[in-house]
Every structure is written in C-alpha cells, then in structure tokens.
Amino acid sequence: MIRSLRLRLAVGAVIAIGLVVLVVWLSLGRFFTDYVVARYRGEMATIIDTLAAELAVRDGELTLGRGPADPRFDLPTGGRYWQISPLKGKAMRSRSLWDTTIDVRTSTDSPYEGFSISEGPDGQPLLVHSQVLSLGANAPSVRFVASAAFPQKELDAAIGDFQGRLRLMLVATAGVLAAGAFFQGALGLVPLRRLSERAAAVRAGRARDFGTAGPSEMQPLVSEINLLLEEREVAVERARARASDLAHGLKTPLTVLAQLAEHLPPEERKLALRQVELARQRADRQLQAARMGVERMATTSIMGLGGKLVSVLRPVTAERDIAWRVSIDSSLSLDVDPADLAECLGNLLDNAAKWARSFIRFSAHRSKDEIAILIEDDGPGIAEQDRESILQRGARLDNADDREPDGTGLGLAISADIADAYGASLTLGQSDLGGLKAMLTFPVKVARRPLRDPV
C-alpha cells in the first residue's frame, strides 16, 4: 500500500495521463489512416472515371481513345497503374505495368478499406481499387472491370511517418503533463507542510494554536485542531489547580504531624520526622508526575538554564572550596519544558555538589542526532554494581555519610524518570576526575512519552 500522499497523486496522474495519451494516439491514428485511405481511394476512382470517359465500343469491343495524362503511367514501375479488363477479350493496361497483369479475381483483401492487394511489376504489392462497369447504349452492352493501383509502401510510409511524429508529440505532451502534475501535487501539499511546521511550533511552545491562514478546504480541520488545543489548555489549567489544591491539602496535615512528632522521644521523633519528610518527597513526586503529563513543551537553552542552576549552587559549595567548570555551547537547546529540565539537571547538580571534594565539571555537546549533558565530580563516586540500583526510587547506598543522613533516594530516580519521559536516558559511570559521571542523552528531535507511574 502506498503511504505517501505525494506518491499517490503522482501515480494517479501518471495513470490518467497514460490512458488519455493512449486514447488520443489510437483515435488520431485511426482518423488519419481513414483520411489518407479515403484520399487515395478518391484518386484511384478519378483515374477510373477518366478511363471510362475515353472508352468506346466498336464492333463489340472496347477501344480507348486516350489514357490519363499522368506521365507515371508511361514509365515502367512508375508508381501509378491502370488496367481495363473486359469479361471477354484482351485486357488493356498502362505501360507502367510492363508485362504484369492485375488479376482482380485472385487479388487478396488489404487492411485498407476499398482496396485489394496484387503483385506489381517490381514484385512489390500494389493496392488495387476496382469497379465493374458496362458500356454501350444498346444491348448487348460490354461489361468490364476498371482498376487503378499504386504501391502499398507509399501508403504505409505516409501512415508510418504520421504515426512516428504522433508518438513523438504525444510522448512530449505526456512528459509536460506529468511534470505539471508533479508540480501541482507539490504545490497542493505546501499547506500540509505549513500545517506540520505550525504543529511543531505549537508543540515547542512558540505558538498557541494553528491560526486561521490556509486554504478553505483545510479550515474545518484547522478549526477542529484549534478547538482541541483550547480544550487541552483548559484541561491543563484544571490539572494545575488540582495539583495545587493537593499540595496545599497535604502540607497542612504533614506540618501538624511534624509538630506532634516533636513531643515524641528522641529516637521515635527522628523516625517520625524522617517518615514525614519521606511523605513530602513522595507527594512532590506525584505532583511532578501530574504536571509533566500536561505541561506545554518549549525550546530551552541548556546553557541559559544550566547557568542559573550553577549560580544557585555555587554559593552553597563555596565554603568547601569547590571549583566549577561549565563548558556548554550557547547554541545548544532542547524541546523540553524548562521546569522539567531544571528539576532533572538540578537533582544531578545537587548530588554532585553534595559529594564533590574540590571540583565539579558541567558540560554538554552534540553528536550526530543526540545531545549529551555530563555532570562530573571528584567525589567518592558509586561502585559499578550499585549504579543501576541507585536509579530506583528510594534506593540509598549503605555508605551514605552525614551530608545526607535523611535522604530519601528519590533525586536520581526523579531525574531518570524525567529523562525517560522525553525519550532520553540517564547513565552513571566513572569520571576521569575520580568521582561520579552522570550523562543525560537527549535525541535532537524530542518526542515526549507518557511518564511512568510513580510509586
């Protein structure tokens, strides 16, 4: 099945043009053949009429006063021939027949109407037109067959030459029509290409709807899409409102629980506060998942967003004398919601800031159809056997020190989920700085997918 609309239009145009050209070729060929045959038949009938006008009957026999004036009749194999064949008696013929006699009784039918085929003086076939006539006012009258002939190759050559020119003309016409059909198809699909570009702009957040420009035939479709986008915008606002209500609804009970936990014994208080914090983290994760399902995508500069995140974390790490190196091309950007990318990178940068000893490297580069973002530190890193499990929600390493005693282990998992939602991947490895290397790999053409259900 042909999936390309342009190819479908092209194939349909080629088939239609081919059928039309075939019909025109057969029709014009038939019309021309009939016309030429009629002209030759008329010429032969004129020769016969000229001969009949010069015939006379004397003593019961036919006599010819003067033959046709065409000099070709006087030259052997001259190209025009005549013969008078009485039913009784000797036949009279033109000198061009030389010693050949046209036997109209044994002549074969030709493909041309009104002619039969007989052998000529040079062995070539002749097209013969014959009429049975009678002469004499009183009985008995003399009956005879008057024949006029010419070489068959003369008529074949005339028709063949026309057919050749006709084929050449029709092929050229078909080529021009096919080119016009291809151009028309390409021109007709321009609105669809513009519609696709408009859809990309809406998806990237550069436009709110598809507008009203375009052919009238596409306006019903554009209107329906605009209504769909409007309904989606309403659904987004409702989802945001519900998420905000849920956040406020959870904040108050968790705050009350945290206050009540202050009256518990030290060990129980610590456990209760940790569970309250865990509930807050998981609630935030649920709200993040709901927001990612409805947010509009936008083109986000990696350098612009990354620079803001580093400027926030740099003062926090300054007291530990941690140096930062940011190496990102300012032209690199992703079609990712800024809030999603900020949380994804923020978790990774925050993790590097917690564990780095003296140096953090933040870089990004493009390779073919991918953009890689790397965050590296010179901290203790993560053992190879733990790198996959640490990306699971709630996972923590046994060697966590006092810099994150109450961590929930959700940061890296959240970054991994956000990356997965945009068709990207998060991989952990060993940096040449000695610590952890976190690499986010995004496709250049981002296509957001449904977020995995959070736990």
Side-chain angles (χ1 to χ4, degrees):
M1 180 179 179
I2 301 177
R3 300 181 62 88
S4 170
L5 182 58
R6 178 175 298 179
L7 187 57
R8 286 185 180 184
L9 293 175
V11 171
V14 168
I15 293 175
I17 292 172
L19 291 176
V20 170
V21 168
L22 179 61
V23 171
V24 171
W25 179 49
L26 294 177
S27 300
L28 290 181
R30 183 72 264 173
F31 293 155
F32 181 79
T33 298
D34 292 344
Y35 171 77
V36 174
V37 169
R39 291 294 299 271
Y40 273 95
R41 191 167 54 244
E43 181 186 352
M44 298 300 106
T46 300
I47 294 173
I48 292 175
D49 291 341
T50 302
L51 290 170
E54 296 294 330
L55 288 174
V57 178
R58 293 179 182 178
D59 300 329
E61 294 184 1
L62 290 174
T63 59
L64 180 62
R66 184 179 61 179
D70 193 330
R72 289 178 292 181
F73 291 113
D74 296 326
L75 298 175
T77 65
R80 289 296 182 271
Y81 311 94
W82 62 263
Q83 178 176 293
I84 303 297
S85 303
L87 298 183
K88 295 180 180 180
K90 187 177 179 181
M92 294 178 289
R93 59 181 183 268
S94 63
R95 293 187 60 189
S96 56
L97 280 174
W98 201 239
D99 58 353
T100 303
T101 300
I102 299 175
D103 191 349
V104 293
R105 294 172 297 182
T106 60
S107 297
T108 58
D109 293 333
S110 76
Y112 304 113
E113 184 180 358
F115 291 98
S116 59
I117 298 177
S118 181
E119 185 177 346
D122 54 357
Q124 298 295 322
L126 299 178
L127 290 179
V128 182
H129 178 65
S130 301
Q131 295 182 20
V132 178
L133 304 173
S134 62
L135 187 63
N138 301 318
S141 60
V142 177
R143 292 175 60 83
F144 60 94
V145 178
S147 302
F150 64 97
Q152 182 178 348
K153 63 181 181 180
E154 184 177 324
L155 180 56
D156 291 340
I159 295 176
D161 181 64
F162 173 80
Q163 293 283 7
R165 294 175 181 271
L166 179 62
R167 280 193 296 267
L168 182 61
M169 183 195 71
L170 292 179
V171 168
T173 302
V176 172
L177 291 177
F182 277 100
F183 176 76
Q184 182 182 17
L187 188 63
L189 293 177
V190 168
L192 291 180
R193 184 167 62 251
R194 292 177 179 172
L195 193 65
S196 176
E197 294 172 354
R198 189 70 177 180
V202 171
R203 181 175 176 273
R206 298 189 298 271
R208 295 180 58 87
D209 54 35
F210 282 69
T212 57
S216 59
E217 292 80 3
M218 296 185 62
Q219 285 306 310
L221 174 62
V222 172
S223 299
E224 290 297 326
I225 294 177
N226 287 337
L227 288 175
L228 182 62
L229 291 174
E230 185 177 348
E231 293 176 359
R232 178 184 178 276
E233 191 68 25
V234 174
V236 168
E237 294 301 327
R238 289 178 179 174
R240 287 174 178 170
R242 291 174 182 173
S244 178
D245 292 343
L246 178 60
H248 289 289
L250 289 174
K251 183 182 296 185
T252 299
L254 290 176
T255 302
V256 173
L257 290 175
Q259 293 175 352
L260 293 175
E262 294 294 337
H263 302 289
L264 297 175
E267 292 296 328
E268 295 179 357
R269 181 173 67 252
K270 182 178 180 180
L271 178 60
L273 291 176
R274 182 174 179 180
Q275 293 301 317
V276 169
E277 182 63 23
L278 180 62
R280 285 176 177 170
Q281 293 277 357
R282 291 187 180 273
D284 289 342
R285 180 69 187 123
Q286 292 282 353
L287 295 177
Q288 170 69 12
R291 187 184 65 78
M292 285 182 62
V294 297
E295 280 290 351
R296 184 191 301 272
M297 294 183 68
T299 301
T300 304
S301 169
I302 300 175
M303 180 60 191
L305 181 60
K308 294 179 181 179
L309 295 173
V310 171
S311 65
V312 172
L313 292 172
R314 196 188 298 271
V316 178
T317 59
E319 59 185 20
R320 293 163 47 205
D321 295 327
I322 295 177
W324 290 77
R325 177 184 294 173
V326 179
S327 178
I328 302 175
D329 188 345
S330 59
S331 65
L332 291 179
S333 61
L334 291 170
D335 288 340
V336 177
D337 185 85
D340 294 340
L341 187 59
E343 181 165 1
C344 183
L345 294 178
N347 290 334
L348 298 177
L349 290 170
D350 183 63
N351 184 76
K354 288 178 180 179
W355 298 102
R357 294 190 177 98
S358 62
F359 189 75
I360 297 174
R361 184 165 60 200
F362 182 21
S363 62
H365 64 273
R366 176 170 178 170
S367 175
K368 294 184 179 179
D369 295 330
E370 294 181 339
I371 293 179
I373 304 175
L374 293 89
I375 300 173
E376 306 170 79
D377 62 71
D378 61 349
I382 299 176
E384 184 176 357
Q385 63 271 17
D386 296 327
R387 292 170 189 165
E388 183 175 352
S389 61
I390 197 64
L391 296 179
Q392 305 300 319
R393 301 184 186 92
R396 299 179 72 250
L397 298 181
D398 295 336
N399 62 348
D401 60 17
D402 57 0
R403 275 174 288 181
E404 198 180 34
D406 298 323
T408 60
L410 286 174
L412 294 178
I414 290 175
S415 294
D417 285 351
I418 293 175
D420 181 71
Y422 286 95
S425 62
L426 172 61
T427 56
L428 303 179
Q430 184 74 26
S431 171
D432 57 7
L433 300 177
L436 180 67
K437 178 176 71 174
M439 183 170 68
L440 283 166
T441 305
F442 283 86
V444 173
K445 295 295 184 181
V446 175
R448 189 164 61 187
R449 301 181 298 187
L451 183 67
R452 294 188 305 235
D453 293 333
V455 177

